[in-house]
Amino acid sequence: MFHEIEDIEQERHRLSHRPSAEEAPPVLCTFDVRMSGSVAEFEERLRSVLTPALHLAVSQPFDGGDLPVDTLPGWFVAAARGASAPVPEFVSRGTEPYAAALGRRPWDLQEWLYQFDPESEFRGWAWWDLTQSGSNTARVWVDTWGESFFACDELRWAAYVSGADEVTGPTLVRAADWVAAVTA
């Protein structure tokens, strides 16, 4: 699925501002996330990873060379396959359930970043919002253009290494459910 630059700019805006109900598509997809830490910490970490990835999507050529990683959090860079730096406990706690749920090793950092290439058809979702559903649970909302089956392992990886103990979904839901949800 191609992501136009204008669409990515809107996605970047939604990372820092809750969209209005009028902007919502008829359906969204959700991922329910359970964590040991606070929802606020998880949300801050997840947004701190997605924000620079989306910035790279609109500012860098995806020409096969390495993309800059200096704007990504150090703990996220350290979580990548092949990194030798120590990682915080929330990162190591997330890599094991990710591997168990998906049967995958940690992502190579450049491979992960290339999922955000606007001309790539790999990433089947666009960020919509994050809401709190309990003291240690959150719901990540994404726009999938009405699709219930789409590529999303890069989002799962970001969620797990941001502190998730479990990520379930995706589940298609009505946008009215998002409107009624409590913002984190």
Side-chain angles (χ1 to χ4, degrees):
M1 172 167 316
F2 291 105
H3 295 265
E4 300 292 330
I5 297 299
E6 181 181 319
D7 298 330
I8 295 171
E9 289 290 359
Q10 291 171 0
E11 190 177 3
R12 290 177 64 201
H13 187 276
R14 290 191 302 266
L15 270 167
S16 58
H17 300 89
R18 183 178 170 124
S20 69
E22 294 78 32
E23 295 174 76
V27 295
L28 293 163
C29 265
T30 63
F31 292 86
D32 289 321
V33 181
R34 183 180 51 79
M35 67 224 53
S36 300
S38 76
V39 171
E41 289 172 334
F42 169 79
E43 178 181 25
E44 180 181 330
R45 290 190 291 252
L46 183 59
R47 289 177 191 268
S48 77
V49 168
L50 295 176
T51 297
L54 291 171
H55 176 73
L56 291 173
V58 299
S59 67
Q60 295 292 314
F62 286 76
D63 57 9
D66 281 355
L67 296 167
V69 299
D70 56 325
T71 57
L72 289 162
W75 56 264
F76 187 76
V77 173
R81 180 173 52 229
S84 59
V87 296
E89 180 186 348
F90 68 86
V91 172
S92 57
R93 200 174 54 241
T95 56
E96 291 177 25
Y98 174 82
L102 292 143
R104 269 192 78 138
R105 297 181 340 187
W107 278 77
D108 170 83
L109 184 57
Q110 291 297 318
E111 179 187 1
W112 187 85
L113 287 172
Y114 264 82
Q115 302 304 302
F116 293 87
D117 178 353
E119 295 181 13
S120 166
E121 295 184 21
F122 294 124
R123 187 167 68 100
W125 58 274
W127 177 267
W128 192 260
D129 199 9
L130 185 145
T131 58
Q132 186 164 348
S133 48
S135 61
N136 296 98
T137 56
R139 182 166 272 184
V140 173
W141 302 80
V142 296
D143 184 2
T144 63
W145 303 271
E147 298 293 328
S148 62
F149 184 77
F150 54 94
C152 58
D153 283 355
E154 69 282 348
L155 178 59
R156 286 180 188 280
W157 171 249
Y160 274 112
V161 299
S162 294
D165 295 327
E166 181 180 23
V167 178
T168 57
T171 305
L172 272 177
V173 296
R174 298 172 309 128
D177 295 343
W178 165 73
V179 172
V182 176
T183 302

